[in-house]
Structure formats: C-alpha cells, structure tokens
Amino acid sequence: MLQITGGFLKGRKVQPVPDPRTRYTSSMVRQALFSMVDVTDKSFLELFCGSAVVSLEAISRGARKAVAVDVSKLATKVARQNAEKLGVQLTVLCVDYRRFLEKNSESFDVAFIDPPYELGFVNEAVRLLSEKKVAETIVVEKSKREKIIVPTELEVLKERSYGDSDLVILRRRPV
C-alpha cells in the first residue's frame, strides 16, 4: 500500500497497481516534489499516472483540480477506485499520453510526468508538453541514466536526485 504524505488526506492508504511493470513514485520523492512546487489552488495534470498517487497527493495538498492519464486499463481502474475510496474528485482518462496531448485544449498550472524508465518517453513527453503549451510548470521524474533534452521554451528551475530517480522541475521561459 502507498500512503498520502501531506495535506488533508495525510496518512490515507492508496492501492498500487498490481502489475510488476508499474513503478510508483516513492513517498520521499512525492514529499520533495510538493515541497518544491506549490499546488494550492492550481490545476494539476499527471501523465503515466499508474495508481494516481501523485494526483491524489496534489488534491490532498490543495490542488483545485487534477487530471490523471494512463494508457493502462488496469492502472486507470485502480486510479478511479483510489479516488472513490478517498472521496475526492479526480478525472481519470485511459488514453495514450500522445493522443491526450494531441486532443487536449485545456491548460494546467502544473504537469507531472513519470514515464517508464529508459524507454524514450521522457523527451517526447516534455517536447509535446512544451509545444502544446499545456503547463506553466512541468515536473519530470526520470531515471538517473536518462538525459533530458530541454526545449528552448523551457528552463530548468531545480534538479534533485533520489536513489535511482531524478526530479527535474521545468518552467516556461518568460516572453
């Protein structure tokens, strides 16, 4: 079981996705993320959501709206069950992130991506988020072994390492 680390849901349990291919964002990384990025009264997008623990944590910490996206039917089923069990409003969409970004017309204050490690999704997702101007702040959780290519429209605000994971916070450059 995963546990919400802060906010009004602190201590509540979240079911992980029962699939060995699904890697969850650790409580240490979630705490670090939300200590660096304030989501109070902001809209939050999570791509590659898995159990949606990061979106649920964002809601717990004051996000006014959250959307969680994953291509896995099992993951989105678990994400919906988690939101229902916690009694919170979370939009969960079962769609490939590329298709979502292609069709999406909504903008978000914060986008969080945590794709499977070392499969080439990081740079494609960052590029698409940047091109589509989906979010002001983009937070990337990636493998330490992956290099991130930062589009010219974005700048790196912070970069931290936690075990095998790097957390990179990008922001749209002022025009």
Side-chain angles (χ1 to χ4, degrees), residues 2-14 26-35 39-40 53-63 86 88:
L2 303 172
Q3 190 168 305
I4 303 290
T5 63
F8 73 92
L9 295 171
K10 183 177 181 176
R12 298 282 303 271
K13 304 283 189 211
V14 174
S26 72
S27 61
M28 178 176 59
V29 172
R30 283 183 276 127
Q31 285 177 313
L33 161 63
F34 292 109
S35 72
V39 295
T40 307
V53 68
V54 177
S55 291
L56 295 167
E57 185 97 35
I59 292 167
S60 179
R61 291 172 181 260
L86 294 174
V88 297

Side-chain angles (χ1 to χ4, degrees), residues 38 141 164 168:
D38 181 14
E141 182 180 349
D164 188 43
V168 182

Side-chain angles (χ1 to χ4, degrees), residues 72-132:
S72 162
K73 286 181 180 164
L74 178 59
T76 52
K77 177 182 175 191
V78 170
R80 284 186 188 101
Q81 289 171 343
N82 283 331
E84 188 176 312
K85 180 179 149 197
L86 294 174
V88 297
Q89 178 64 43
L90 173 66
T91 301
V92 180
L93 303 172
C94 185
V95 63
D96 181 84
Y97 75 98
R98 290 166 285 225
R99 189 166 187 79
F100 170 79
L101 292 173
E102 181 182 297
K103 302 276 187 204
N104 175 63
S105 59
E106 190 174 357
S107 64
F108 296 85
D109 296 305
V110 179
F112 173 77
I113 64 167
D114 180 16
Y117 281 5
E118 300 174 46
L119 294 179
F121 295 120
V122 167
N123 287 312
E124 183 180 27
V126 168
R127 179 183 58 75
L128 288 170
L129 283 164
S130 176
E131 282 176 5
K132 301 285 186 179

Side-chain angles (χ1 to χ4, degrees), residues 41-60:
D41 290 325
K42 295 191 174 152
S43 56
F44 189 86
L45 170 66
E46 181 181 9
L47 300 180
F48 309 94
C49 73
S51 66
V53 68
V54 177
S55 291
L56 295 167
E57 185 97 35
I59 292 167
S60 179

Side-chain angles (χ1 to χ4, degrees), residues 23 114-119 141-143 145-146 164-166:
R23 179 189 39 75
D114 180 16
Y117 281 5
E118 300 174 46
L119 294 179
E141 182 180 349
K142 66 175 192 63
S143 164
R145 294 172 295 283
E146 288 179 284
D164 188 43
S165 299
D166 282 347

